[in-house]
Amino acid sequence: MGRCTRVHKVLEGISLAKRKDVAKLAGVSEATISRVFNNVGPIREETKQKVLKAAKTLNYQPNALAQSFATGKSGNIGVIIPYLPKVHLLSTHYFSGILSGIGIQLGKCQYNLLVMFQSPHEPKDYVQLFRSQKIDGCIILGAKNDEQEIKEIERLHELKLPYCLVNQTYEGYPFHSVDAKHTEGSFQAVSLLLEKGFKRIAFINGPLEYSNSMERLKGYRDAYLNVGIEPPSELVFQGNYSRTSGIQLSTEIAPLMSNIDAIFSGNDRMAIGLMQGLSKHGYHVGEDYALIGYDNSDVASMVQPQLTSVQVPLLEMGEMAAEKVLNELNGKSVVLQERLPVTLIERASIQVKKEMRK
């Protein structure tokens, strides 16, 4: 038996129901079957349900390629994320949380999620992805505040192509975005430390080309100013949101620990890297200093002492971004910019045993 024949026999075992079979069982024309599955033209709800019931009975699967030609749509929503060599972004709490939310929402509407990696050095051309009919809409993660990025997003916006930014906003631009209230989250975290008597609070931030980094820095400063204290700018450090950068910064921070009561980190990965690095220098969380992270990843409750962290609704952000793109795709009005609240989760990492310095 040849290979093609074997494949044919396997397919027969699954289902080879054709459009005419569904039309016969539903008592409608083949053209009606096409209109239902391609969502083209007016269809009575009663007729639509008869067709769907017949298709389910016969295990009929419409040809995706034929649907694409009929509707002019691919059925794919592209999720564009940065490609960084040796960095497994999809395994991080941040990206996996947002992607899960996007996938859940797209699945409800029978759209496919197409992950598209983009090198930081690669020229950006988001519009081309639509022209090639690879995607019907796009969700952009990891966008930066640079001139080229803004120019490309402006093109998307001017052409009214369905898109949404996640965790990045641009001051003064009416771009579609879903974000969290990062200034508020940072303010809550630093205010809690100040309320507990910690006065010399170091801050490990991410790159300032991300709007959420700028917002966390503002929250840090506002918390100090709110109690009438000038923010200690000499205790502000910058990592890149990786655990490795937290470890590297520990060598810079360790000599200053005699003048530091607590540390606030822009994400949990840097916080945990810092914990590991400082422990090698003889400084331990809960004994020598308090520590707060950000994102409330799973690992925050696994380390010892458990890490106090700001919970960001990543799953909900992903769902909302996908919903916005689908609404744009279907011609529905959408709110340009959405901001979701964050929650401070207190754990043992802020319970310092040693007497705090005055």
Side-chain angles (χ1 to χ4, degrees):
M1 183 184 294
R3 182 175 181 274
C4 293
T5 306
R6 287 198 299 272
V7 172
H8 181 73
K9 289 294 183 182
V10 170
L11 290 175
E12 279 187 333
I14 298 173
S15 173
L16 284 178
K18 297 181 179 179
R19 187 171 58 184
K20 65 180 181 180
D21 301 321
V22 179
K24 182 177 180 180
L25 182 59
V28 298
S29 66
E30 290 187 44
T32 299
I33 303 299
S34 295
R35 288 201 299 273
V36 169
F37 283 100
N38 294 325
N39 197 27
V40 176
I43 301 288
R44 291 176 56 189
E45 184 60 28
E46 181 182 356
T47 302
K48 180 180 178 180
Q49 292 306 318
K50 283 171 60 178
V51 170
L52 294 176
K53 183 179 180 180
K56 184 176 181 180
T57 299
L58 296 174
N59 193 26
Y60 170 72
Q61 298 294 329
N63 184 289
L65 184 60
Q67 281 187 302
S68 175
F69 281 118
T71 63
K73 299 185 184 302
S74 68
N76 298 323
I77 300 298
V79 180
I80 303 167
I81 64 177
Y83 171 71
L84 301 174
K86 300 182 181 180
V87 178
H88 302 291
L89 290 179
L90 296 183
S91 66
T92 65
H93 175 74
Y94 171 78
F95 283 103
S96 64
I98 293 176
L99 285 171
S100 294
I102 293 171
I104 289 170
Q105 189 62 37
L106 294 183
K108 292 176 183 176
C109 302
Q110 297 183 321
Y111 270 84
N112 302 312
L113 185 161
L114 184 63
V115 176
M116 313 178 82
F117 291 94
Q118 186 166 60
S119 168
H121 308 296
E122 180 184 347
K124 294 178 175 63
D125 190 349
Y126 298 138
V127 173
Q128 178 58 32
L129 299 177
F130 288 83
R131 288 175 177 161
S132 65
Q133 288 196 340
K134 288 182 180 178
I135 59 173
D136 301 327
C138 72
I139 298 170
I140 303 172
L141 309 184
K144 297 179 180 180
N145 187 15
D146 65 51
E147 187 176 340
Q148 185 192 9
E149 189 90 53
I150 293 172
K151 181 179 178 181
E152 287 305 312
I153 298 170
E154 276 186 314
R155 291 178 67 206
L156 287 176
H157 195 80
E158 290 168 359
L159 293 170
K160 300 186 185 303
L161 296 171
Y163 77 94
C164 185
L165 308 174
V166 178
N167 213 39
Q168 176 73 16
T169 55
Y170 295 91
E171 190 73 28
Y173 291 91
F175 297 154
H176 297 153
S177 66
V178 172
D179 211 338
K181 297 180 179 180
H182 298 298
T183 301
E184 181 180 306
S186 180
F187 180 87
Q188 289 178 15
V190 179
S191 293
L192 176 63
L193 292 171
L194 290 169
E195 288 169 12
K196 289 184 174 293
F198 301 103
K199 295 293 187 287
R200 301 289 295 174
I201 305 168
F203 176 39
I204 303 177
N205 200 10
L208 296 181
E209 57 200 359
Y210 300 114
S211 63
N212 56 85
S213 297
M214 292 293 294
E215 290 167 9
R216 278 191 276 267
L217 179 59
K218 183 178 186 305
Y220 170 81
R221 290 171 173 167
D222 287 352
Y224 266 104
L225 295 174
N226 188 54
V227 295
I229 302 175
E230 190 66 24
S233 58
E234 73 278 8
L235 296 183
V236 176
F237 304 87
Q238 184 175 306
N240 64 6
Y241 290 125
S242 70
R243 184 178 66 89
T244 300
S245 71
I247 294 173
Q248 291 170 342
L249 282 172
S250 68
T251 61
E252 186 177 346
I253 294 173
L256 306 175
M257 286 303 292
S258 61
N259 196 35
I260 291 175
D261 299 316
I263 302 173
F264 171 52
S265 173
N267 76 343
D268 292 345
R269 290 167 66 84
M270 289 195 297
I272 290 166
L274 186 72
M275 284 176 62
Q276 294 172 331
L278 287 179
S279 68
K280 294 179 181 179
H281 292 275
Y283 298 102
H284 303 284
V285 178
E287 295 180 9
D288 303 294
Y289 66 101
L291 179 64
I292 295 182
Y294 203 97
D295 287 340
N296 194 38
S297 59
D298 292 340
V299 74
S301 59
M302 297 177 185
V303 296
Q304 292 298 325
Q306 291 187 336
L307 182 64
T308 297
S309 188
V310 178
Q311 181 170 303
V312 180
L314 300 174
L315 188 77
E316 291 82 357
M317 288 167 64
E319 288 181 318
M320 185 173 286
E323 183 179 17
K324 283 169 71 71
V325 169
L326 293 176
N327 283 340
E328 291 176 66
L329 192 57
N330 294 320
K332 297 179 182 179
S333 61
V334 297
V335 177
L336 282 180
Q337 297 177 348
E338 301 275 6
R339 287 276 187 169
L340 300 183
V342 297
T343 307
L344 181 61
I345 308 296
E346 290 190 44
R347 298 191 180 96
S349 66
I350 56 173
Q351 305 300 324
V352 176
K353 297 175 183 178
K354 287 185 178 180
E355 183 179 351
M356 290 176 292
R357 304 173 189 86
K358 303 298 183 183

